[in-house]
Amino acid sequence: MVTPAAAESPEEEAKHLHVRLRDEHASIYDLITEYLQAAGKAPDWYWRTAGRLEGTDSDNLEELLCSAFEAGAFISHDHPEDVEFLWVNEGECEKERRADEKGEQARESKKERSTMSHYA
């Protein structure tokens, strides 16, 4: 039995893991493809199957999920410098999501302005 002193605080209990690539220009697709090639798996099959998967083919779904899990382990082992692990609570998660949305909107706006200036 766990004593109250040893129990986690409510804030710690509510935390969940976010895994991010440190470099915003890095591509998770490239790292997964590298893993698939190193594991002797066919990246073309994987990406085609992932692109058309509708949740009805349980054999392919299981293979994709297993490969994705293995790829995550591969990336964190072979490329630890590229991966960032963050334990966040719901408030921190929401704040991060809003910041990501604002960043994405700013990038889209900047892209649109640069496209428009081309025609000016």
Side-chain angles (χ1 to χ4, degrees), residues 11-61:
E11 185 176 307
E12 288 176 0
E13 287 178 23
K15 289 194 174 192
H16 60 273
L17 181 64
H18 284 195
V19 180
R20 303 271 189 270
L21 293 178
R22 291 185 192 275
D23 181 0
E24 69 181 44
H25 301 292
S27 169
I28 190 69
Y29 300 105
D30 292 342
L31 293 170
I32 291 173
T33 298
E34 180 183 334
Y35 156 73
L36 292 167
Q37 291 170 333
K41 298 183 180 190
D44 292 341
W45 172 87
Y46 183 87
W47 294 120
R48 279 194 313 273
T49 303
R52 70 174 181 261
L53 188 64
E54 296 178 7
T56 58
D57 189 349
S58 62
D59 290 339
N60 283 340
L61 178 60

